[in-house]
Amino acid sequence: MGFPTDRVARCVKRLGTDKKKVIDFQLDVLKIAGMPFNYTEDSVEVALTNNKGVVEKTLDILKMVSDLKELGFPEKTIHEALHSTGNDKEKAIDYIISHS
């Protein structure tokens, strides 16, 4: 099994060269993306990174991302808004609207 080189490179840049941390992060991405919620690996990576690798918090954020995508907002903008507003869904909506 291999991991996408670009994702590993981003992970090494953030976490350093500790192989265990890098592999654990990659496995968490795959585990969460493999759940029956249809989260993309890219979305999981962003949410997991923004939440410092805390899986439970990441799942909460991904649920908010999913909810906001249903409202028609772009995923990248949603992640940016949630990160900028401390993961406050209502403030993120305001952020998205005011930055479009």
Side-chain angles (χ1 to χ4, degrees), residues 37-65:
F37 305 113
N38 296 321
Y39 301 134
T40 66
E41 289 181 15
D42 289 341
S43 189
V44 172
E45 177 188 2
V46 171
L48 197 56
T49 299
N50 289 345
N51 292 288
K52 297 177 177 53
V54 179
V55 172
E56 295 78 18
K57 182 74 172 170
T58 298
L59 292 171
D60 293 340
I61 299 311
L62 289 168
K63 172 68 172 110
M64 283 191 265
V65 170

mmCIF file of all heavy atoms in Angstrom, residues 37-65:
data_model
loop_
_atom_site.group_PDB
_atom_site.id
_atom_site.type_symbol
_atom_site.label_atom_id
_atom_site.label_comp_id
_atom_site.label_asym_id
_atom_site.label_seq_id
_atom_site.Cartn_x
_atom_site.Cartn_y
_atom_site.Cartn_z
ATOM 1 N N PHE A 37 -19.658 8.101 4.841
ATOM 2 C CA PHE A 37 -20.183 9.462 4.733
ATOM 3 C C PHE A 37 -19.761 10.134 3.434
ATOM 4 O O PHE A 37 -20.092 11.270 3.185
ATOM 5 C CB PHE A 37 -19.716 10.320 5.911
ATOM 6 C CG PHE A 37 -20.058 9.739 7.246
ATOM 7 C CD1 PHE A 37 -19.055 9.295 8.095
ATOM 8 C CD2 PHE A 37 -21.377 9.621 7.653
ATOM 9 C CE1 PHE A 37 -19.368 8.745 9.334
ATOM 10 C CE2 PHE A 37 -21.695 9.072 8.891
ATOM 11 C CZ PHE A 37 -20.689 8.630 9.736
ATOM 12 N N ASN A 38 -18.974 9.439 2.626
ATOM 13 C CA ASN A 38 -18.514 9.971 1.341
ATOM 14 C C ASN A 38 -17.645 11.221 1.461
ATOM 15 O O ASN A 38 -17.752 12.134 0.659
ATOM 16 C CB ASN A 38 -19.692 10.240 0.398
ATOM 17 C CG ASN A 38 -20.411 8.972 0.034
ATOM 18 O OD1 ASN A 38 -19.787 7.939 -0.177
ATOM 19 N ND2 ASN A 38 -21.723 9.036 -0.038
ATOM 20 N N TYR A 39 -16.798 11.278 2.484
ATOM 21 C CA TYR A 39 -15.842 12.375 2.591
ATOM 22 C C TYR A 39 -14.659 12.073 1.683
ATOM 23 O O TYR A 39 -14.163 10.949 1.648
ATOM 24 C CB TYR A 39 -15.335 12.533 4.022
ATOM 25 C CG TYR A 39 -16.404 12.808 5.047
ATOM 26 C CD1 TYR A 39 -16.440 12.131 6.248
ATOM 27 C CD2 TYR A 39 -17.388 13.774 4.807
ATOM 28 C CE1 TYR A 39 -17.413 12.398 7.197
ATOM 29 C CE2 TYR A 39 -18.366 14.034 5.751
ATOM 30 C CZ TYR A 39 -18.375 13.350 6.948
ATOM 31 O OH TYR A 39 -19.343 13.614 7.869
ATOM 32 N N THR A 40 -14.211 13.073 0.950
ATOM 33 C CA THR A 40 -13.052 12.866 0.086
ATOM 34 C C THR A 40 -11.785 12.872 0.934
ATOM 35 O O THR A 40 -11.739 13.478 2.017
ATOM 36 C CB THR A 40 -12.933 13.984 -0.972
ATOM 37 O OG1 THR A 40 -12.658 15.229 -0.306
ATOM 38 C CG2 THR A 40 -14.189 14.100 -1.812
ATOM 39 N N GLU A 41 -10.757 12.206 0.437
ATOM 40 C CA GLU A 41 -9.481 12.196 1.153
ATOM 41 C C GLU A 41 -8.930 13.607 1.289
ATOM 42 O O GLU A 41 -8.357 13.952 2.329
ATOM 43 C CB GLU A 41 -8.473 11.273 0.458
ATOM 44 C CG GLU A 41 -8.819 9.812 0.601
ATOM 45 C CD GLU A 41 -7.817 8.878 -0.060
ATOM 46 O OE1 GLU A 41 -6.699 9.318 -0.397
ATOM 47 O OE2 GLU A 41 -8.155 7.691 -0.222
ATOM 48 N N ASP A 42 -9.111 14.432 0.276
ATOM 49 C CA ASP A 42 -8.629 15.818 0.341
ATOM 50 C C ASP A 42 -9.338 16.587 1.449
ATOM 51 O O ASP A 42 -8.710 17.320 2.215
ATOM 52 C CB ASP A 42 -8.827 16.528 -0.999
ATOM 53 C CG ASP A 42 -7.896 16.025 -2.082
ATOM 54 O OD1 ASP A 42 -6.864 15.388 -1.751
ATOM 55 O OD2 ASP A 42 -8.188 16.266 -3.262
ATOM 56 N N SER A 43 -10.648 16.431 1.541
ATOM 57 C CA SER A 43 -11.415 17.117 2.567
ATOM 58 C C SER A 43 -11.018 16.629 3.957
ATOM 59 O O SER A 43 -10.870 17.416 4.892
ATOM 60 C CB SER A 43 -12.912 16.909 2.334
ATOM 61 O OG SER A 43 -13.670 17.721 3.193
ATOM 62 N N VAL A 44 -10.830 15.331 4.088
ATOM 63 C CA VAL A 44 -10.411 14.754 5.374
ATOM 64 C C VAL A 44 -9.038 15.297 5.757
ATOM 65 O O VAL A 44 -8.819 15.677 6.913
ATOM 66 C CB VAL A 44 -10.391 13.208 5.314
ATOM 67 C CG1 VAL A 44 -9.760 12.629 6.574
ATOM 68 C CG2 VAL A 44 -11.797 12.659 5.113
ATOM 69 N N GLU A 45 -8.137 15.362 4.798
ATOM 70 C CA GLU A 45 -6.793 15.868 5.090
ATOM 71 C C GLU A 45 -6.854 17.297 5.623
ATOM 72 O O GLU A 45 -6.219 17.625 6.631
ATOM 73 C CB GLU A 45 -5.907 15.832 3.851
ATOM 74 C CG GLU A 45 -4.531 16.406 4.100
ATOM 75 C CD GLU A 45 -3.686 16.557 2.848
ATOM 76 O OE1 GLU A 45 -4.158 16.250 1.734
ATOM 77 O OE2 GLU A 45 -2.534 17.007 2.982
ATOM 78 N N VAL A 46 -7.618 18.143 4.973
ATOM 79 C CA VAL A 46 -7.727 19.546 5.405
ATOM 80 C C VAL A 46 -8.333 19.622 6.806
ATOM 81 O O VAL A 46 -7.805 20.303 7.687
ATOM 82 C CB VAL A 46 -8.568 20.374 4.405
ATOM 83 C CG1 VAL A 46 -8.857 21.764 4.957
ATOM 84 C CG2 VAL A 46 -7.867 20.461 3.065
ATOM 85 N N ALA A 47 -9.424 18.919 7.026
ATOM 86 C CA ALA A 47 -10.095 18.961 8.327
ATOM 87 C C ALA A 47 -9.210 18.383 9.425
ATOM 88 O O ALA A 47 -9.120 18.939 10.521
ATOM 89 C CB ALA A 47 -11.426 18.207 8.259
ATOM 90 N N LEU A 48 -8.541 17.287 9.140
ATOM 91 C CA LEU A 48 -7.666 16.662 10.124
ATOM 92 C C LEU A 48 -6.486 17.572 10.452
ATOM 93 O O LEU A 48 -6.104 17.715 11.614
ATOM 94 C CB LEU A 48 -7.183 15.310 9.586
ATOM 95 C CG LEU A 48 -6.596 14.296 10.545
ATOM 96 C CD1 LEU A 48 -7.563 13.978 11.671
ATOM 97 C CD2 LEU A 48 -6.237 13.021 9.813
ATOM 98 N N THR A 49 -5.955 18.226 9.446
ATOM 99 C CA THR A 49 -4.848 19.167 9.657
ATOM 100 C C THR A 49 -5.307 20.353 10.489
ATOM 101 O O THR A 49 -4.642 20.747 11.454
ATOM 102 C CB THR A 49 -4.292 19.659 8.307
ATOM 103 O OG1 THR A 49 -3.790 18.532 7.585
ATOM 104 C CG2 THR A 49 -3.183 20.671 8.499
ATOM 105 N N ASN A 50 -6.439 20.927 10.123
ATOM 106 C CA ASN A 50 -6.945 22.097 10.844
ATOM 107 C C ASN A 50 -7.304 21.781 12.288
ATOM 108 O O ASN A 50 -7.361 22.682 13.118
ATOM 109 C CB ASN A 50 -8.158 22.691 10.134
ATOM 110 C CG ASN A 50 -7.784 23.372 8.834
ATOM 111 O OD1 ASN A 50 -6.618 23.654 8.568
ATOM 112 N ND2 ASN A 50 -8.778 23.634 8.006
ATOM 113 N N ASN A 51 -7.544 20.511 12.581
ATOM 114 C CA ASN A 51 -7.914 20.101 13.935
ATOM 115 C C ASN A 51 -6.795 19.338 14.635
ATOM 116 O O ASN A 51 -7.039 18.553 15.541
ATOM 117 C CB ASN A 51 -9.213 19.294 13.897
ATOM 118 C CG ASN A 51 -10.358 20.176 13.509
ATOM 119 O OD1 ASN A 51 -10.782 21.001 14.303
ATOM 120 N ND2 ASN A 51 -10.822 20.072 12.281
ATOM 121 N N LYS A 52 -5.584 19.575 14.174
ATOM 122 C CA LYS A 52 -4.368 19.042 14.799
ATOM 123 C C LYS A 52 -4.413 17.540 15.020
ATOM 124 O O LYS A 52 -3.933 17.025 16.017
ATOM 125 C CB LYS A 52 -4.090 19.782 16.102
ATOM 126 C CG LYS A 52 -3.816 21.264 15.890
ATOM 127 C CD LYS A 52 -3.623 21.978 17.190
ATOM 128 C CE LYS A 52 -3.274 23.426 17.036
ATOM 129 N NZ LYS A 52 -4.116 24.244 16.233
ATOM 130 N N GLY A 53 -5.045 16.832 14.070
ATOM 131 C CA GLY A 53 -5.054 15.377 14.103
ATOM 132 C C GLY A 53 -6.065 14.751 15.047
ATOM 133 O O GLY A 53 -6.058 13.544 15.235
ATOM 134 N N VAL A 54 -6.941 15.550 15.630
ATOM 135 C CA VAL A 54 -7.945 15.014 16.551
ATOM 136 C C VAL A 54 -9.118 14.466 15.727
ATOM 137 O O VAL A 54 -9.884 15.219 15.136
ATOM 138 C CB VAL A 54 -8.435 16.091 17.549
ATOM 139 C CG1 VAL A 54 -9.495 15.523 18.482
ATOM 140 C CG2 VAL A 54 -7.255 16.661 18.327
ATOM 141 N N VAL A 55 -9.228 13.151 15.692
ATOM 142 C CA VAL A 55 -10.190 12.484 14.819
ATOM 143 C C VAL A 55 -11.629 12.861 15.167
ATOM 144 O O VAL A 55 -12.425 13.158 14.279
ATOM 145 C CB VAL A 55 -9.993 10.952 14.849
ATOM 146 C CG1 VAL A 55 -11.104 10.234 14.093
ATOM 147 C CG2 VAL A 55 -8.634 10.582 14.273
ATOM 148 N N GLU A 56 -11.985 12.860 16.446
ATOM 149 C CA GLU A 56 -13.369 13.142 16.841
ATOM 150 C C GLU A 56 -13.786 14.547 16.394
ATOM 151 O O GLU A 56 -14.875 14.746 15.868
ATOM 152 C CB GLU A 56 -13.534 13.004 18.364
ATOM 153 C CG GLU A 56 -13.315 11.600 18.884
ATOM 154 C CD GLU A 56 -11.837 11.214 19.000
ATOM 155 O OE1 GLU A 56 -10.955 12.113 19.007
ATOM 156 O OE2 GLU A 56 -11.554 10.014 19.056
ATOM 157 N N LYS A 57 -12.919 15.531 16.607
ATOM 158 C CA LYS A 57 -13.205 16.906 16.189
ATOM 159 C C LYS A 57 -13.289 16.986 14.668
ATOM 160 O O LYS A 57 -14.137 17.689 14.117
ATOM 161 C CB LYS A 57 -12.109 17.837 16.725
ATOM 162 C CG LYS A 57 -12.304 19.277 16.413
ATOM 163 C CD LYS A 57 -13.394 19.882 17.258
ATOM 164 C CE LYS A 57 -13.424 21.383 17.063
ATOM 165 N NZ LYS A 57 -14.574 21.983 17.668
ATOM 166 N N THR A 58 -12.422 16.249 13.994
ATOM 167 C CA THR A 58 -12.419 16.226 12.530
ATOM 168 C C THR A 58 -13.748 15.714 11.995
ATOM 169 O O THR A 58 -14.287 16.266 11.034
ATOM 170 C CB THR A 58 -11.248 15.374 12.016
ATOM 171 O OG1 THR A 58 -10.026 15.968 12.458
ATOM 172 C CG2 THR A 58 -11.248 15.254 10.511
ATOM 173 N N LEU A 59 -14.287 14.689 12.620
ATOM 174 C CA LEU A 59 -15.584 14.153 12.183
ATOM 175 C C LEU A 59 -16.693 15.195 12.340
ATOM 176 O O LEU A 59 -17.560 15.325 11.474
ATOM 177 C CB LEU A 59 -15.921 12.880 12.952
ATOM 178 C CG LEU A 59 -15.037 11.677 12.637
ATOM 179 C CD1 LEU A 59 -15.318 10.537 13.608
ATOM 180 C CD2 LEU A 59 -15.230 11.227 11.198
ATOM 181 N N ASP A 60 -16.642 15.959 13.439
ATOM 182 C CA ASP A 60 -17.631 17.029 13.636
ATOM 183 C C ASP A 60 -17.513 18.075 12.528
ATOM 184 O O ASP A 60 -18.524 18.540 11.985
ATOM 185 C CB ASP A 60 -17.427 17.716 14.995
ATOM 186 C CG ASP A 60 -17.741 16.812 16.173
ATOM 187 O OD1 ASP A 60 -18.463 15.802 15.988
ATOM 188 O OD2 ASP A 60 -17.262 17.112 17.283
ATOM 189 N N ILE A 61 -16.284 18.444 12.199
ATOM 190 C CA ILE A 61 -16.052 19.453 11.168
ATOM 191 C C ILE A 61 -16.518 18.940 9.810
ATOM 192 O O ILE A 61 -17.144 19.669 9.036
ATOM 193 C CB ILE A 61 -14.565 19.865 11.121
ATOM 194 C CG1 ILE A 61 -14.138 20.457 12.455
ATOM 195 C CG2 ILE A 61 -14.283 20.817 9.967
ATOM 196 C CD1 ILE A 61 -15.033 21.511 13.027
ATOM 197 N N LEU A 62 -16.211 17.696 9.501
ATOM 198 C CA LEU A 62 -16.617 17.138 8.216
ATOM 199 C C LEU A 62 -18.137 17.092 8.083
ATOM 200 O O LEU A 62 -18.675 17.274 6.987
ATOM 201 C CB LEU A 62 -16.001 15.750 8.014
ATOM 202 C CG LEU A 62 -14.497 15.764 7.760
ATOM 203 C CD1 LEU A 62 -13.928 14.362 7.870
ATOM 204 C CD2 LEU A 62 -14.184 16.376 6.399
ATOM 205 N N LYS A 63 -18.839 16.894 9.181
ATOM 206 C CA LYS A 63 -20.304 16.942 9.155
ATOM 207 C C LYS A 63 -20.762 18.354 8.799
ATOM 208 O O LYS A 63 -21.669 18.540 7.979
ATOM 209 C CB LYS A 63 -20.867 16.501 10.518
ATOM 210 C CG LYS A 63 -22.358 16.686 10.668
ATOM 211 C CD LYS A 63 -23.148 15.762 9.764
ATOM 212 C CE LYS A 63 -24.622 15.836 10.081
ATOM 213 N NZ LYS A 63 -25.430 16.470 9.073
ATOM 214 N N MET A 64 -20.105 19.365 9.386
ATOM 215 C CA MET A 64 -20.447 20.748 9.049
ATOM 216 C C MET A 64 -20.133 21.042 7.581
ATOM 217 O O MET A 64 -20.912 21.709 6.894
ATOM 218 C CB MET A 64 -19.698 21.732 9.947
ATOM 219 C CG MET A 64 -20.276 21.846 11.326
ATOM 220 S SD MET A 64 -19.563 23.229 12.239
ATOM 221 C CE MET A 64 -18.272 22.391 13.137
ATOM 222 N N VAL A 65 -19.008 20.536 7.099
ATOM 223 C CA VAL A 65 -18.637 20.723 5.689
ATOM 224 C C VAL A 65 -19.726 20.130 4.805
ATOM 225 O O VAL A 65 -20.181 20.761 3.846
ATOM 226 C CB VAL A 65 -17.263 20.090 5.374
ATOM 227 C CG1 VAL A 65 -17.000 20.060 3.877
ATOM 228 C CG2 VAL A 65 -16.147 20.837 6.101
#
